[in-house]
Every structure is written in C-alpha cells, then in structure tokens.
Amino acid sequence: MTEQSRPDTARAVAVHPPMAMLAELTHRCALSCPYCSNPLEMTRRDTELSAADWAEIFAQAAEIGVLQLHLSGGEPASRRDLEEIVASAHAADLYTNLITSGIGLTEKRLDALEAAGLDHVQLSLQGVDAEMADRIGGYRGGFERKMAVAGWIGARGIPLTLNAVMHKLNLDRLPETIELALAMGARRLEVATVQFHGWAARNRAALMPTRAQAREASRIVREARARLRGRLVIDYVTADHHADYPKPCMGGWGSTGLNVLPDGRVMPCHAAHTIPGLDFERAPGRHLGEIWREGAAFNAFRGFDWMQEPCRSCDRKGIDFGGCRCQAMAIAGDPAATDPVCVKSPLHARLAAEAEADAAAEGAELTYRTNPA
Amino acid sequence: MSDAPAAEATLPDAARPRLLRGVRVKHDAVRGMDVLLAPERALKLDPIGAAILAEVDGTRSFAEIVARLAARYNAPAEQISGDARTFLVSLIERRMAEAA
C-alpha cells in the first residue's frame, strides 16, 4: 500500500512501465496565460492527431502499463471530438483525467463526457476574482465562466481538483484560494507555484515570487493540510528558485511518465523539446512501448550514468535525480549539469541572486502566450 | 509542525465505509498486482489491502467487514480490525473513501 508516484531509487537502468501519460490534444486555447507550459513554438492545428490516432495511442499506453491518462492542451475542450477521445480512453481502461480551464465546456458537453466515462476533472485557476483571473488568462469573462463550470461539475458529482497556479501577483491570496477550493467542493487542491520554463521564463520579472511570499505560502499550506485533513488534499509545488534542492523532475527521467504532443511526438517531459539534439519519435506509427523502452530521447538521462559531479557522487541523487534537465539546459547550458537550483551547483548563487532581483521587480508587463496557426 | 489542531478521521464499528466516486480497484496485468486508482494517484495494493477493499461495498458496516475477513482468513478479529481501520482511515484522510 505504498504510493507509486515515485520509482525505485536503487535501480540500475532497468526500464519500468510508465504510470502516467499526458496527452496534449491541441495547443489551441482561449486563454493566453503568461506561464503556459506549451512550447514557444506550438503545434499547428492541421497537424493534430485524429481521434482514431489517439484511440490507438491509448490502447498502446494501456498495453505497456499506463494507468493514469491526463488529457491536456492547450484547452482540450477546443477539440469538438473530445467526447469521442474520452470514450476511447475509457474503452482502453485508462483512468481519465481532463485538465481544463473550463472554457468550451457546457452542461451538455459535461453530460456527454460523463457518459463517455470521464473519471475526474482538474480545473485550472488563474486568480480568486475576475480582475486577477481575467488579467492573467488574458480573457475577459473567463473567471465568470469558470465559476459556472465548477458549479456544473459539482452538481454532477464529478471528482474535482482545483489547480491554482501561483506567483508574485496572486500568492498573497493563497488563503482565499484554499477557501474557494472548499466552496467548489473540490477534493484536491494543487498549489502550483510557477516553474520558470518556456513562456514563464519570459515573465520572470512579473511572476517570480519573493522569498518571503514563498516561505509564507509553505506555512499556510502546512497549516491548511492539518486543519483540512479528510476534507481537502493539498498538493504543493514550491517556488524552486528559492529552494536549496531541486525538484525530482518527472520522478526520474523516463521512469514514470511520458508526454505526447498534439502531432504524436512523444517526449519524456513537457519541456524536453528545449534540449537540443533530442529526437522525438511519433506515435502511434511507432509503438509507444518501443519509444518508451528504446527511444534515444528516453534513454538520454535514464538512470545515473549520464550524471556529472557533483551529482554522480551525491547521496541525494536517488531523491532528486540531479533535478530538472530542462532547467540545467536553460541556465547552465548543459542538460547533464546539476540543476542550478541545487546548493551544490556552482551556478546556485547566481540563480538565487537573479531570483531575488526578479522578485523585487515591480510593475513588469506580462508577455502572453500566443495561439498556434 | 502545524499551527492548528489536526482534524482526526474516525471509523466507528457501525459506520459503513465506501470508496468515493472516481476511486476504484483495478487489476494491473502489466505489473501483476491490484492497484487503487484515484484522482492523480495510483496506490499499489498489497494482498491485505485488496482483501479489505473487496469487502467494502457501502452497505456493510466496518464491524461486518472485520467479521467477514476474520472468518475468511481464519485470523483474530482484533488484529484485522486494527489493520483494516488504519488502512481505511488513511483512505478517508486522503479523500478516497468516506464512511456514513
């Protein structure tokens, strides 16, 4: 009865079956959040996989041991065939989670998704009121619509997680965020502090929380977890640029999960395209199991052999796996370097100083994500 | 560590536990084990956990579940009661189960 979200830490480069798959069904979205996790260069609509292709990928995923499927985007509800896609995921016996802003969902569509076998909805939150949420999402009326969708989800009894993306501009309203999750009847709340990849990296001065904000958020989460045990589960992604040790990215590269782009390219994580030289093979043409086991991109940072010092001899290497490869690439210019978040990285002092400077910046403009052609 | 008194989930003998919607047991043929699937979580079930959940149907009381497990596995009810209560309370605290 142990949590299976982490792999064995003492393994050699044995390849275990993946637990979870993130399917980016489209990069189209009504919102244009300045921290969007989609690539800077998005997949065009005319190269998106068909529902039939996705059905084949889901069957392959189930065959190789994927249990949890996260249907994401962009906004997955931008696809008119989302209901058909959910039905095929359910038919493959995958646990099916819809990650949505709510925009594009109606009561009728929720009924159809429920009938198709949807297991769970993860609703994103940009702020606790329309002023903040619509400013961050860059979409007027988005907050009001989201609140309506949350009500429809609650009325149907569909299990709900609220995913609140937090940063400098809204972190001070974390207590209200927790109250909103309770009012919506959410079982789970993800307090996800922005991670500075991709679009977010263009908005560091606007979004980087202060160290004091990060510390206060940790205290509030700790208090709320104890107070709300049995009512609301809170998952917490910390502000890693103010931390001493890096996040255990993906629970170890190529060990737990995989990510499929709208055109079928399969990546070890959603930012892996920022690492030059990695070649991403396409499903369903090539079987997902072959890509997972044999794909060069999946084997690039699997296990520990790729590590340099100080990771190689570090007693934490089985805990955080050297941190995030994409962050190592972005900041150290070497995807096999120690994640500069780590205090043992020679670049840590510079990273911490830059985080402090960005956190102190006031009035920076937001650079919004754009939509694919 | 906490600044507020913790809420304690309880499971009286007369309570009827059930898994919440969106939480289910699946046999994982690839790994050769039972797993409990829940929102954003997959828990590996050992044979004891699987046996307990096989008796949880929303109509049986906790006392009935313990009695059935004790009879089936020919084990002392006190021991089963402790294991089953710890396990089910942990699921209640994680919003995977509830008891009415």
Side-chain angles (χ1 to χ4, degrees), chain A residues 68 95 119 156 187 231, chain B residues 21-22 24 40-41 95:
Chain A
Q68 298 261 355
Y95 191 95
D119 288 297
R156 284 161 180 74
R187 281 186 211 168
R231 281 181 71 198
Chain B
R21 176 169 167 185
R24 62 171 184 267
E40 323 260 349
R41 290 286 189 280
R95 295 290 273 129

Side-chain angles (χ1 to χ4, degrees), chain B residues 76-99:
Chain B
E78 305 76 58
Q79 186 198 325
I80 286 180
S81 175
D83 288 350
R85 185 170 273 122
T86 301
F87 177 51
L88 291 172
V89 165
S90 80
L91 296 185
I92 291 169
E93 288 184 341
R94 283 184 278 184
R95 295 290 273 129
M96 295 180 189
E98 67 180 4

Side-chain angles (χ1 to χ4, degrees), chain A residues 177-321:
Chain A
T177 306
I178 294 168
E179 290 308 311
L180 185 59
L182 289 169
M184 282 180 178
R187 281 186 211 168
R188 299 179 63 259
L189 169 65
E190 292 186 9
V191 177
T193 314
V194 164
Q195 302 296 299
F196 289 94
H197 305 289
W199 292 96
R202 296 190 164 186
N203 286 290
R204 289 176 52 108
L207 300 178
M208 183 74 69
T210 65
R211 186 173 286 268
Q213 277 183 314
R215 198 180 299 123
E216 176 65 358
S218 298
R219 187 195 68 76
I220 290 168
V221 166
R222 203 161 55 232
E223 181 276 330
R225 275 179 176 159
R227 179 168 52 90
L228 301 173
R229 201 162 70 189
R231 281 181 71 198
L232 183 70
V233 175
I234 304 179
D235 279 359
Y236 180 40
V237 179
T238 59
D240 71 335
H241 285 217
H242 292 306
D244 290 339
Y245 294 108
K247 57 198 173 212
C249 205
M250 299 300 289
W253 184 277
S255 73
T256 308
L258 45 81
N259 187 51
V260 186
L261 288 167
D263 61 6
R265 282 175 294 160
V266 186
M267 303 199 299
C269 85
H270 69 260
H273 57 85
T274 61
I275 298 176
L278 293 185
D279 184 29
F280 305 113
E281 299 169 87
R282 264 172 223 269
R286 187 157 190 221
H287 194 288
L288 206 58
E290 289 174 10
I291 298 175
W292 173 256
R293 285 187 305 272
E294 299 156 26
F298 279 87
N299 283 305
F301 304 108
R302 217 171 223 153
F304 303 102
D305 288 350
W306 56 271
M307 286 182 175
Q308 306 168 359
E309 292 298 349
C311 292
R312 181 173 278 275
S313 59
C314 181
D315 59 6
R316 290 181 56 90
K317 72 179 175 186
I319 298 171
D320 55 35
F321 309 98

